[in-house]
Amino acid sequence: MTGQDDELLTIDEVIAELRVPRSTFYRWRQTGIAPRAVKLPSGAVRIRRAALAEWLRGLEDAPKEHAA
């Protein structure tokens, strides 16, 4: 794991990268479908870059088999 994979992103950074409204991200968190998060002692929520990448990979469509 590189230092960049371990980078902690703010919710603002994540929603900017995903291009979704804040309300959508919080709805995903409520329903348990958002990327794994880290809750800091201050109550702030952070998302590891590696967790975001893993979550996005899990959303990818499986490649379709081409009929010969």
Side-chain angles (χ1 to χ4, degrees), residues 5-68:
D5 290 340
D6 207 34
E7 176 183 13
L8 294 175
L9 303 171
T10 66
I11 290 177
D12 285 340
E13 291 169 328
V14 171
I15 64 174
E17 198 163 313
L18 296 176
R19 298 183 185 151
V20 297
R22 178 179 292 273
S23 59
T24 298
F25 183 81
Y26 279 111
R27 186 173 64 249
W28 291 346
R29 281 193 38 91
Q30 265 187 330
T31 58
I33 61 172
R36 289 186 335 233
V38 175
K39 192 164 189 179
L40 301 177
S42 66
V45 174
R46 298 290 185 267
I47 311 296
R48 287 189 195 282
R49 180 160 297 283
L52 179 59
E54 178 184 324
W55 179 78
L56 287 170
R57 276 192 300 278
L59 296 176
E60 290 177 357
D61 291 336
K64 294 182 181 181
E65 296 289 324
H66 293 311

